[in-house]
Amino acid sequence: MKTIKKNRTVRIALEALRALDRHRFRNGLAVLGMVIGVAAVVIMVAIGRGVQNRVIKDMERLGTDLLIVVAGEARFRGARPRPAKQVRTLKFEDARALERSLPAVLKAIPLESRNWQVKPIQSSVALGAAYSQSDTTVTNTTVTGTTANFTEVLDYEIYRGRSFSQAEVKRLKRVAVVGPTLSENLFGDSFPVGLRVLIGKIPFTIIGIYKSKGLDAFGDDQDDQMFVPVTTMISRILHQEHLTSLILQIAPGNLGVDLKNEVRALLRERHRLQQISQPDDFTVKTQKELMATKKKTSRTFALLITSVAAISILVAGVGILAVMLISIQERTTEIGLRRALGANRSDLLRQFLLEALALGSVGGGGGALLGLLGALILRTVTPLQFALPLSIAIMSCVLAIIISLIFGVMLARRAAKLDPVVALTTV
């Protein structure tokens, strides 16, 4: 008896494969849609996780014992402050006061960044050549004013030349440290240390170049920027007295709510915010808070792009539904003949379910493999270390099969319920 049932199942499976083989092109298109849908989910998840991991890695590299103070009410993009509006109360003297008054604050680094036009000085003895106006390269880059300790706190390493000193910061010296990309844009393969550039109309001497840091999680080139003394930046370039942000390096084990409140109290006192009803004119965030916010944002982003990509699997399932619907309509007479010769409803139900299972399995499996291959290629050719979401690939493949089976059940039940007499007389 078991042998008879086994032979019957084998015959049904072979009949299902023959039915699929008769319309290879049409079924191939349905499978291709499923392949693309599953691959899209896998690749989008890989990109989302890769960006999330890079953001977290960049923030962890700076350390978790940091406090960020931003003028006014600020929003953050990753670890970057974005003030909502300009507030002029945060001063360079606030950084000094925080270092002097709070023992737990090891260093207070002011940051004042602008996008600025930079070009080489037209005549440079160091190059041993005279630039003509047509030969002068002009580029826009990020110019950041800070103090001599920025290399330690912000994780920059000087590999040629040197960084500027605290004495040069106090004396408003026009010196600069540049990134490898900016150096190449301005001087090509020439050694930049000792050469001079114009920031706007103000000449600066390049004294150092830092080691390449590559792209950040948002695709911005971290090597295309220039650091100058903050006093020179705010006085000679921007002609202002206020700052946009401070980064406080905290002694290990001292970062907590109490220290954050001490920083707020000191700044409120210095900014003469004596009334409790007066809101802070600054924002204080810990690095851990930024990491938690970014992780939450990244998870939401990953969920969003995964949901959007998952719709393509559903669309591909509709494609399989359409193919099987056409197949049933074309085989109506065949179904009636088989029913008249003794085939029962369960046989037809199993056959169409096997067809749907085959289409879903090939499409889902092929899409999972293609998605993992695409993620691997992205991981190889880009500086962002995209994840290889094997679990998502398996889940997407299973989802594709389930969707195919759901649509297959709908149509298989319809085929199994066809009346043999009506089916035989249908043209």
Side-chain angles (χ1 to χ4, degrees):
M1 190 68 176
K2 291 183 179 179
T3 303
I4 295 174
K5 288 184 178 180
K6 183 177 180 180
N7 291 337
R8 192 182 189 91
T9 302
V10 170
R11 286 199 303 270
I12 293 172
L14 292 176
E15 180 60 32
L17 293 176
R18 281 194 292 267
L20 292 174
D21 185 61
R22 283 196 293 269
H23 299 284
R24 277 177 275 183
F25 182 74
R26 186 171 66 197
N27 293 326
L29 290 177
V31 168
L32 180 61
M34 187 63 75
V35 168
I36 294 174
V38 173
V41 172
V42 175
I43 292 176
M44 294 298 284
V45 171
I47 292 174
R49 288 185 177 177
V51 171
Q52 178 182 357
N53 293 338
R54 181 58 182 267
V55 169
I56 294 172
K57 183 178 179 181
D58 287 345
M59 296 176 74
E60 288 177 341
R61 188 187 298 127
L62 295 177
T64 55
D65 294 324
L66 294 179
L67 266 179
I68 295 91
V69 180
V70 183
E73 182 182 358
R75 299 178 179 88
F76 288 82
R77 182 187 179 213
R80 305 176 186 180
R82 293 291 186 269
K85 61 180 180 179
Q86 190 178 61
V87 177
R88 302 175 183 270
T89 53
L90 191 64
K91 303 293 181 67
F92 182 48
E93 289 73 19
D94 290 333
R96 296 175 178 173
L98 288 167
E99 286 184 342
R100 289 195 304 264
S101 304
L102 301 178
V105 178
L106 301 179
K107 297 181 181 67
I109 308 296
L111 291 179
E112 192 67 29
S113 296
R114 295 289 190 282
N115 190 267
W116 218 266
Q117 188 179 81
V118 178
K119 64 180 179 179
I121 299 292
Q122 291 181 342
S123 178
S124 177
V125 177
L127 279 179
Y131 286 108
S132 66
Q133 184 67 31
S134 60
D135 292 331
T136 301
T137 301
V138 180
T139 184
N140 286 323
T141 190
T142 300
V143 180
T144 299
T146 185
T147 56
N149 297 322
F150 83 94
T151 53
E152 304 170 29
V153 179
L154 302 181
D155 190 37
Y156 283 84
E157 182 179 348
I158 305 294
Y159 86 99
R160 301 292 291 271
R162 63 178 179 86
S163 178
F164 42 82
S165 65
Q166 198 61 36
E168 289 171 319
V169 174
K170 292 180 180 179
R171 293 160 59 189
L172 281 71
K173 286 292 186 178
R174 291 174 294 182
V175 292
V177 177
V178 301
T181 299
L182 180 59
S183 173
E184 184 178 354
N185 291 341
L186 292 172
F187 303 106
D189 296 331
S190 300
F191 182 56
V193 175
L195 304 184
R196 302 176 71 204
V197 297
L198 288 176
I199 302 178
K201 296 182 179 180
I202 304 173
F204 280 75
T205 300
I206 296 175
I207 60 173
I209 180 171
Y210 60 81
K211 184 175 290 186
S212 175
K213 292 173 70 71
L215 301 179
D216 64 13
F218 303 99
D220 296 330
D221 189 356
Q222 299 180 88
D223 301 333
D224 186 14
Q225 58 181 324
M226 172 185 293
F227 292 94
V228 300
V230 65
T231 50
T232 311
M233 178 76 172
I234 61 178
S235 298
R236 297 192 175 185
I237 298 179
L238 300 177
H239 304 291
Q240 66 184 39
E241 296 181 355
H242 61 277
L243 294 172
T244 300
S245 60
L246 302 172
I247 293 185
L248 311 182
Q249 186 180 47
I250 309 303
N254 287 273
L255 185 59
V257 176
D258 292 341
L259 179 61
K260 189 175 176 179
N261 290 335
E262 289 177 11
V263 171
R264 288 185 64 248
L266 179 59
L267 289 177
R268 285 183 63 87
E269 179 183 348
R270 290 185 56 82
H271 296 179
R272 299 178 182 178
L273 301 174
Q274 299 174 353
Q275 301 296 325
I276 298 178
S277 59
Q278 291 179 281
D280 293 344
D281 58 359
F282 54 86
T283 302
V284 182
K285 290 282 187 180
T286 68
Q287 186 76 339
K288 290 182 179 179
E289 288 173 336
L290 294 182
M291 288 179 65
T293 301
K294 191 56 196 176
K295 286 180 180 179
K296 182 178 179 180
T297 304
S298 298
R299 284 194 296 267
T300 303
F301 171 71
L303 179 61
L304 175 62
I305 62 175
T306 303
S307 300
V308 172
I311 294 175
S312 59
I313 299 182
L314 181 61
V315 173
V318 173
I320 291 178
L321 172 66
V323 166
M324 292 192 63
L325 179 60
I326 294 172
S327 177
I328 290 174
Q329 290 176 341
E330 290 179 346
R331 294 153 62 187
T332 301
T333 304
E334 174 192 338
I335 293 171
L337 181 60
R338 292 182 60 191
R339 288 295 309 278
L341 293 176
N344 54 39
R345 291 184 176 182
S346 63
D347 293 336
L348 293 174
L349 185 63
R350 279 187 287 176
Q351 178 178 336
F352 284 103
L353 281 179
L354 285 173
E355 292 180 20
L357 178 62
L359 293 174
S361 299
V362 174
L369 292 176
L370 181 62
L372 290 174
L373 179 61
L376 182 60
I377 293 174
L378 288 174
R379 186 173 182 171
T380 304
V381 302
T382 64
L384 295 178
Q385 293 297 305
F386 291 113
L388 294 179
L390 181 60
S391 60
I392 296 297
I394 296 174
M395 290 173 59
S396 298
C397 179
V398 172
L399 179 61
I401 295 173
I402 291 174
I403 291 176
S404 299
L405 286 176
I406 290 173
F407 290 143
V409 167
M410 294 167 53
L411 295 175
R413 287 170 60 86
R414 175 178 174 177
K417 290 180 179 179
L418 283 175
D419 184 270
V421 177
V422 175
L424 285 171
T425 57
T426 301
V427 180

